[in-house]
Amino acid sequence: MSGSKGNVKKFADLTTNTFCNQTRITCNAMTTLLETKATFRAADAVCFDVDSTVIKEEGIDELAKFCGVGDAVTEMTRKAMGGTMTFKTALMKRLAIIRPSREQVNKLITDHPPQLTEGIQELVERLQQHNVQIFLISGGFRSIVEHVATQLNIPLSHVFANRLKFYFNGEYAGFDETQLTAESGGKGKVISLLKEKYGLKKVVMIGDGATDMEACPPANAFIGFGGNVTRPQVKENCTWYVSSFHELLQELEKI
């Protein structure tokens, strides 16, 4: 009988310890979430990814479709996602398939302008009202991202993206490989540069992809965005994941 009581006590202790451990993990996660939200409210700069975050589309996919090589580029993107090549190599290979002319890029922007994600315009306006500096950091193309920046009243000097190069007759001539955004880990390098240049203390990165999440640190906080596409790796590993920019607007109401 006494052995039975001992077993019950051991089970109770084990259950209590398990519950406490789970509670501790939950509390730690909650603390981190609260810290991330506090950093967002106190940020002096917010950096946004562009493709599938600020806009609904992936710029390189739209350009590929427009140039009639959508399927080939999708296949190359799939191979690149396998992690067997650097970001720069993957970009080079995809652009080698597309080979967009200056005229095609301009026509894409004119005929099929990038579609802003719902709530982004209001969010940027609200942040700017709080004197928060806004930056667009993209692995996409500067000509497209500048169009987006203009729509959102973001200075073009706050745009960091890849530059396409063209010959004098407008034909594709490659891309500027010296840009930080052309490198693996480039978004983090841009944020380090911004912190040094502007003396920023609290920088938040917002985006849908792994390259955005990897930019924290040096970013002080990262917010995963799933309003256009859900990346399981990001959703499972970030402390704050939102499906709408309205969630961020609600958080700003607490200021």
Side-chain angles (χ1 to χ4, degrees):
M1 192 72 175
S2 60
S4 176
K5 287 182 180 178
N7 289 337
V8 170
K9 184 178 183 303
K10 286 177 184 176
F11 178 76
D13 290 344
L14 180 62
T15 303
T16 302
N17 288 337
T18 302
F19 175 76
C20 288
N21 287 338
Q22 289 175 340
T23 303
R24 198 174 295 116
I25 291 169
T26 302
C27 286
N28 288 342
M30 187 60 69
T31 301
T32 306
L33 173 61
L34 292 174
E35 287 172 351
T36 301
K37 289 186 174 184
T39 301
F40 174 64
R41 293 194 304 272
D44 45 17
V46 174
C47 301
F48 288 93
D49 170 51
V50 177
D51 294 341
S52 294
T53 299
V54 170
I55 63 174
K56 296 178 180 181
E57 316 91 343
E58 287 286 328
I60 194 164
D61 292 340
E62 295 303 306
L63 183 59
K65 284 184 216 169
F66 189 76
C67 295
V69 290
D71 291 342
V73 169
T74 298
E75 177 61 19
M76 179 56 68
T77 300
R78 187 189 64 76
K79 289 179 180 177
M81 292 294 282
T84 56
M85 62 181 83
T86 65
F87 178 82
K88 184 181 289 186
T89 300
L91 181 61
M92 187 184 303
K93 286 181 177 291
R94 285 181 288 181
L95 281 171
I97 295 171
I98 304 171
R99 299 193 64 80
S101 66
R102 181 187 281 114
E103 183 182 358
Q104 285 174 315
V105 174
N106 291 339
K107 194 164 172 52
L108 170 68
I109 295 170
T110 302
D111 295 357
H112 303 282
Q115 301 297 303
L116 294 177
T117 301
E118 184 182 352
I120 186 61
Q121 200 140 17
E122 187 180 353
L123 177 59
V124 169
E125 287 175 4
R126 189 75 58 83
L127 287 167
Q128 289 174 331
Q129 287 168 5
H130 288 290
N131 297 315
V132 178
Q133 296 197 61
I134 307 296
F135 298 90
L136 299 181
I137 307 178
S138 173
F141 307 124
R142 187 174 182 90
S143 49
I144 295 174
V145 178
E146 283 187 346
H147 178 81
V148 174
T150 301
Q151 287 181 286
L152 296 173
N153 293 315
I154 297 171
L156 298 187
S157 59
H158 286 200
V159 170
F160 295 84
N162 291 313
R163 294 178 184 271
L164 293 172
K165 297 196 294 188
F166 304 98
Y167 291 113
F168 69 93
N169 62 356
E171 290 183 359
Y172 175 70
F175 67 98
D176 185 353
E177 297 182 34
T178 67
Q179 295 293 306
L180 291 176
T181 48
E183 303 175 10
S184 297
K187 292 181 180 180
K189 292 174 184 175
V190 170
I191 290 175
S192 292
L193 184 72
L194 293 176
K195 280 186 153 186
E196 184 178 347
K197 181 177 181 178
Y198 295 100
L200 303 171
K201 301 300 181 186
K202 291 188 177 181
V203 178
V204 176
M205 181 73 201
I206 300 175
D208 68 285
T211 58
D212 307 311
M213 186 165 62
E214 288 166 1
C216 178
N220 302 91
F222 169 71
I223 301 170
F225 182 73
N228 294 308
V229 61
T230 301
R231 318 275 187 201
Q233 179 187 357
V234 174
K235 186 173 183 179
E236 292 164 12
N237 290 288
C238 72
T239 55
W240 190 14
Y241 191 82
V242 300
S243 298
S244 167
F245 285 127
H246 294 295
E247 295 176 57
L248 302 184
L249 283 163
Q250 288 173 355
E251 193 62 31
L252 291 178
E253 294 293 338
K254 298 177 184 178
I255 296 177

